[in-house]
Amino acid sequence: MELITLMLTTTLLAFIVMYFFTHANKRIQLVRTMNKLPGPKEYPLVGNSLELAVPRNQFFKIFDDRTRKWGPIFRTWEGPLAVLHITRPEHAEIILASSKHIDKSLVYTFLHPWLGTGLLTGTGAKWHSHRKMITPTFHFKILDIFQEVFVEKCQLLVEKLKSKANNEPFDIYPFITRCALDIICETAMGTEINAQEKTDSDYVRAIYDISELTLKRSFQPWFWPDLVFNMTDYGKRYSECLSVLHGFTTRVIRERKALRSSSNGKHIEQTVDEDAELLGKKKRLAFLDLLLEASENSNGSALTDIEIREEVDTFMFEGHDTTTAGICWTLFLLGSHPEYQDKVAEELNNIFQGDNRLATMKDLNDMKYLERCIKDSLRLFPSVPFIGRTLKEDTSFDNYQVPKGTLVNLQIYHIHRCKDQWPNPEKFDPDNFLPERISKRHPYAYVPFSAGPRNCIGQKFALLEEKTMLSAILRNYRVESHEKFEDLTLMNELILRPESGIILKLTPRS
């Protein structure tokens, strides 16, 4: 018996030694391979994480300084995890154009409690199935209906800004945020939250708080374990926000299903044409209706209520914060460059001829110069400045072989500043988007909506919303920026925003 015990113990110890030797060897190989890339010195266990033990308003400067020192391609370590940083369009193409490297990186898992595994955070068969189901729903007739909502909410915004049109500086960011929330809530769920009227809404506050809490958690590894995070005040507030957001979406889904049941099974095509008759003026067709219709016609792969909630919540998250940032940065740049603002005003005068009528879809399509201004604003200040992916196989970048499993940080902010792609890359210049200039650039030199299989499904929606809101403001007010770019502190959050907001002066246009 003692011999058998000795043999079993020896065998177990041998397996343990082999296990640790194999994994230690793999770890050594990983470190050696990744450290062939340039990058800052790392420390045991924590890697380069200690560099981020600073106030939040210094994060962006650290990332920018790292890139200027070690770019265009370099590595860092987030604790024990290797991260590859990409700042060139040809390297971005390797990732974005691939149908293999579509898995998001670790940081996106912190969005799972809120957004689940919808189009933004999901992967694999579920992601492919949902993407295939949802993509056709964004056709032009749907965007026409959404544009009606854009115009209506922007008219209210113009009214709200009247009290600020006194040439005194103020922060326009909250005004744009609330308008964008009104738009996305009605277009996503077909219901109203009246964020522009009720600024103390529990839903609006929960949206703000959960975004900030997600960011705090992602940058502090000691909050990564659910057990630890859930015990903190941050975790408790996060749970409260989830209860508000999921409760609201779940209730709207239940009501929307009941409404569809009472419509005698009419299809989307009928609903589009009979929107006012079927749903009433305040019950327009919404993204949720498109999801329900697509799910019902999916030949056995219908979405569950939880999956529907995930996609609606994703649309809510991606559809208000990103457009808010894009609109605010464009206002800042036009307010800093009156010569370009005058050209936008001239274009709007040519389209509307002094008439106060509301903008139509044709009007929006005719706003070519405004569109170029928006695009160069998104180049300088992409709403999503960084995208995270995970390599699914060993991949070569120039002379570097990067192993499978490495986290990849595609730095859109820096890709948009490549000197060989953009003349004077730090300068705001709407002519960057003249056709002759576009044709000379690498196709992945401009990716504010990502690119490839995981590009943003709502980019046409976003551009139309931004045109509608900006044209409504600029038809009524002249904008002057109160701060210079060098005075701003950029916040490296889920969305790229200035710490102090966007401080403008408004004066009425005669």
Side-chain angles (χ1 to χ4, degrees), residues 338-348 369 431:
E339 69 277 20
Y340 298 143
Q341 185 178 167
D342 288 343
K343 288 185 178 182
V344 172
E346 182 181 358
E347 178 178 73
L348 295 176
Y369 191 78
D431 287 351

Side-chain angles (χ1 to χ4, degrees), residues 118-184:
L119 285 185
L120 174 65
T121 54
T123 190
K126 176 181 175 180
W127 177 83
H128 280 285
S129 172
H130 287 202
R131 177 81 186 203
K132 184 177 180 181
M133 182 187 298
I134 294 170
T135 297
T137 62
F138 281 88
H139 53 74
F140 73 95
K141 292 181 78 176
I142 299 303
L143 291 176
D144 266 342
I145 288 180
F146 287 171
Q147 195 262 338
E148 294 174 10
V149 180
F150 299 165
V151 169
E152 180 181 300
K153 303 306 179 187
C154 289
Q155 283 299 105
L156 179 57
L157 171 65
V158 169
E159 287 296 313
K160 292 293 180 183
L161 289 175
K162 279 184 177 179
S163 64
K164 297 294 183 180
N166 53 13
N167 205 32
E168 294 294 325
F170 76 104
D171 182 10
I172 200 170
Y173 213 102
F175 289 84
I176 304 300
T177 298
R178 291 191 287 266
C179 183
L181 274 169
D182 273 349
I183 287 172
I184 199 62

Side-chain angles (χ1 to χ4, degrees), residues 1-265:
M1 190 70 177
E2 291 181 2
L3 180 61
I4 293 174
T5 302
L6 180 62
M7 291 175 64
L8 289 173
T9 302
T10 303
T11 303
L12 179 60
L13 286 172
F15 274 117
I16 292 173
V17 170
M18 288 174 62
Y19 176 85
F20 279 106
F21 177 79
T22 300
H23 281 263
N25 189 51
K26 285 183 179 178
R27 178 68 186 173
I28 290 169
Q29 290 297 322
L30 172 65
V31 172
R32 284 177 177 171
T33 299
M34 291 304 296
N35 281 350
K36 291 178 181 177
L37 286 144
K41 176 179 173 56
E42 77 279 6
Y43 297 92
L45 298 179
V46 297
N48 302 111
S49 298
L50 290 180
E51 295 177 30
L52 297 177
V54 296
R56 281 172 48 215
N57 63 2
Q58 295 181 31
F59 285 174
F60 188 88
K61 185 176 186 307
I62 289 172
F63 287 130
D64 192 40
D65 289 346
R66 275 181 182 173
T67 302
R68 293 177 189 278
K69 181 174 182 179
W70 300 106
I73 182 168
F74 63 103
R75 60 97 194 112
T76 58
W77 294 87
E78 288 187 12
L81 303 177
V83 183
L84 175 71
H85 297 263
I86 286 174
T87 66
R88 292 284 311 163
E90 62 271 19
H91 297 151
E93 182 177 15
I94 294 171
I95 301 296
L96 296 178
S98 170
S99 59
K100 295 178 181 178
H101 307 304
I102 63 170
D103 286 10
K104 294 299 182 78
S105 64
L106 175 69
V107 67
Y108 291 82
T109 62
F110 302 127
L111 288 168
H112 285 179
W114 177 20
L115 306 181
T117 50
L119 285 185
L120 174 65
T121 54
T123 190
K126 176 181 175 180
W127 177 83
H128 280 285
S129 172
H130 287 202
R131 177 81 186 203
K132 184 177 180 181
M133 182 187 298
I134 294 170
T135 297
T137 62
F138 281 88
H139 53 74
F140 73 95
K141 292 181 78 176
I142 299 303
L143 291 176
D144 266 342
I145 288 180
F146 287 171
Q147 195 262 338
E148 294 174 10
V149 180
F150 299 165
V151 169
E152 180 181 300
K153 303 306 179 187
C154 289
Q155 283 299 105
L156 179 57
L157 171 65
V158 169
E159 287 296 313
K160 292 293 180 183
L161 289 175
K162 279 184 177 179
S163 64
K164 297 294 183 180
N166 53 13
N167 205 32
E168 294 294 325
F170 76 104
D171 182 10
I172 200 170
Y173 213 102
F175 289 84
I176 304 300
T177 298
R178 291 191 287 266
C179 183
L181 274 169
D182 273 349
I183 287 172
I184 199 62
C185 199
E186 187 156 342
T187 53
M189 292 189 275
T191 191
E192 294 182 286
I193 58 170
N194 297 313
Q196 295 187 83
E197 300 285 4
K198 298 187 294 185
T199 58
D200 60 344
S201 160
D202 287 344
Y203 186 87
V204 173
R205 189 162 55 251
I207 285 269
Y208 291 157
D209 287 358
I210 204 166
S211 299
E212 182 177 342
L213 291 167
T214 299
L215 184 81
K216 285 180 177 178
R217 186 180 186 188
S218 68
F219 282 133
Q220 298 173 330
W222 47 93
F223 285 148
W224 289 359
D226 289 340
L227 183 62
V228 174
F229 183 68
N230 292 339
M231 292 173 63
T232 65
D233 290 340
Y234 291 157
K236 291 171 184 175
R237 174 56 186 155
Y238 191 94
S239 295
E240 291 172 359
C241 292
L242 276 185
S243 179
V244 171
L245 298 175
H246 285 173
F248 183 78
T249 310
T250 300
R251 176 176 60 79
V252 172
I253 291 171
R254 186 168 58 247
E255 292 173 354
R256 216 60 185 182
K257 278 189 164 183
L259 184 63
R260 287 179 59 78
S261 296
S262 68
S263 68
N264 300 319

